[in-house]
Amino acid sequence: MGRKVHPIGFRLKINRDWESRWYAEGRDYVDLLKEDRKIRAFIKTEAEKAGVSRTEIERFPNQVVVTIHTMRPGIIIGREGKAVKKLKTDLETLTGKKVKVEVNEIDKPDADAQLVAENIAGQLIRRIGHSRAMKRAVQQAMRLGAQGIRIEVCGRLAGGDMSRREMVSEGRVPRNTLRANIDYGRTEALTTFGQLGIKVWIYKGEILQQDAARKEEKSGVYISQ
């Protein structure tokens, strides 16, 4: 068998927490899971230019808390908070529940795996060479303090007749080490030659057991009322 284990799912409850935190049984679980997917798809579409890395959803009996991790919080918040208030209203209409929106700024977008993957995808769509885009992303991530990075691009690269896979890596990326803090992101790029897949692993060091319970540092958090 190939190595098909998801790097984040592999480390859940060890050094990573779930992005959806709630409990339900039976049909309620199915409905809430579909609702989570709708919320994430809606935010990704509405805030396409904001560089959204991930969306965390936490449910309480009378409220849904949505935390958006983005590289451009100003686009989501808007002038005087008008954009985030509209987003909150749209999410309440979508879910039929009371929603609180929190916006968390990502300080180092070039060291965030999902944003790196989406940046490479955007360059491929603009017909920039895949080797150039991958090498530039590796250099920027290592410059920002990443201990290792691995990027894979698969598809009809450079318009080739056959699909192939190319990989660029620098530093250490211990994918089988559970205590390793591995950030993982993947996306697709629709080019004139077909669909290209991009996967990014970024190694940010080891997380010891006593550090696993600590929350990630947050800066520039905006909470809607």
Side-chain angles (χ1 to χ4, degrees):
M1 292 180 63
R3 296 178 179 178
K4 301 295 192 298
V5 178
H6 195 285
I8 295 177
F10 187 46
R11 293 169 175 81
L12 281 177
K13 201 59 179 178
I14 297 172
N15 61 18
R16 292 294 295 260
D17 197 5
W18 283 264
E19 293 184 359
S20 293
R21 294 183 289 274
W22 45 266
Y23 177 79
E25 294 181 350
R27 186 65 193 178
D28 292 339
Y29 174 84
V30 177
D31 295 338
L32 292 179
L33 187 62
K34 290 181 179 179
E35 189 174 285
D36 281 6
R37 291 175 62 88
K38 289 181 181 179
I39 291 174
R40 290 192 170 94
F42 179 79
I43 292 175
K44 202 73 174 177
T45 302
E46 290 294 314
E48 184 178 2
K49 296 181 180 179
V52 176
S53 173
R54 67 184 188 277
T55 302
E56 296 180 358
I57 301 173
E58 191 170 4
R59 297 181 183 272
F60 298 94
N62 299 318
Q63 191 178 53
V64 179
V65 179
V66 178
T67 304
I68 304 172
H69 298 264
T70 174
M71 61 182 292
R72 300 187 187 96
I75 296 178
I76 297 179
I77 297 172
R79 183 173 297 178
E80 298 179 355
K82 292 181 179 179
V84 75
K85 290 178 181 177
K86 181 180 182 301
L87 179 62
K88 173 189 172 185
T89 303
D90 293 340
L91 289 175
E92 289 178 345
T93 303
L94 178 68
T95 61
K97 304 179 180 71
K98 185 178 179 181
V99 177
K100 182 170 74 171
V101 178
E102 299 181 1
V103 182
N104 185 20
E105 181 181 6
I106 298 175
D107 294 332
K108 299 178 180 179
D110 289 331
D112 186 283
Q114 184 62 36
L115 295 180
V116 170
E118 292 178 1
N119 182 31
I120 294 174
Q123 294 184 59
L124 294 178
I125 293 174
R126 298 193 302 271
R127 297 189 178 184
I128 296 176
H130 63 279
S131 298
R132 178 183 174 187
M134 293 164 67
K135 290 178 181 178
R136 182 184 301 173
V138 167
Q139 292 173 357
Q140 291 174 344
M142 296 300 291
R143 190 178 69 248
L144 289 177
Q147 296 190 20
I149 180 172
R150 176 188 176 98
I151 302 175
E152 289 186 5
V153 178
C154 182
R156 292 183 59 191
L157 302 177
D161 294 335
M162 294 184 65
S163 173
R164 70 179 193 274
R165 184 189 306 270
E166 286 197 11
M167 185 269 293
V168 173
S169 66
E170 187 171 339
R172 292 180 59 241
V173 185
R175 291 179 291 172
N176 295 328
T177 305
L178 287 174
R179 64 179 178 272
N181 182 11
I182 301 288
D183 192 15
Y184 175 74
R186 63 180 181 180
T187 188
E188 296 178 351
L190 181 58
T191 67
T192 55
F193 301 107
Q195 200 91 348
L196 303 180
I198 302 103
K199 295 181 180 180
V200 178
W201 294 260
I202 297 180
Y203 175 49
K204 300 181 178 180
E206 292 187 355
I207 297 182
L208 301 179
Q209 190 172 6
Q210 58 267 27
D211 296 331
R214 296 179 183 175
K215 295 182 179 180
E216 296 180 357
E217 294 182 359
K218 294 185 179 181
S219 59
V221 178
Y222 179 92
I223 304 176
S224 67
Q225 302 297 327

